[in-house]
Amino acid sequence: MIMREGMTVVLFGAVIGIVLAAAGTGVIRHLLYGSSSGDLRIYAPAALLLAGIGLLACWIPARRAASLDPLAALREE
């Protein structure tokens, strides 16, 4: 559950980021020297790197939650 909810947010943000970056490339292409539509090749690895970091950030608390005994956790409450 922790992994699913966390990665949903990460992937949703990555998709929105790629779409906005692709739209922004068309706008700033005329303003920046050396910027081309081929910059999309850079967006995919960057999104994968951020998704990997998000996966790690979701996996650590999920692993910790999975290692707890549910009965012991309920007794503490």
Side-chain angles (χ1 to χ4, degrees):
M1 181 178 77
I2 294 171
M3 293 288 292
R4 182 181 62 238
E5 290 176 5
M7 288 308 294
T8 300
V9 172
V10 169
L11 294 177
F12 185 68
V15 168
I16 288 175
I18 289 174
V19 169
L20 290 176
T25 299
V27 172
I28 66 168
R29 185 181 321 152
H30 303 289
L31 301 174
L32 294 176
Y33 176 75
S35 178
S36 68
S37 61
D39 291 341
L40 293 175
R41 288 179 277 142
I42 296 177
Y43 298 147
L48 287 175
L49 176 67
L50 290 175
I53 292 169
L55 179 67
L56 181 65
C58 293
W59 178 70
I60 292 172
R63 185 187 66 177
R64 186 172 180 207
S67 68
L68 291 176
D69 180 28
L71 192 57
L74 288 174
R75 281 187 192 140
E76 288 182 17
E77 295 291 320

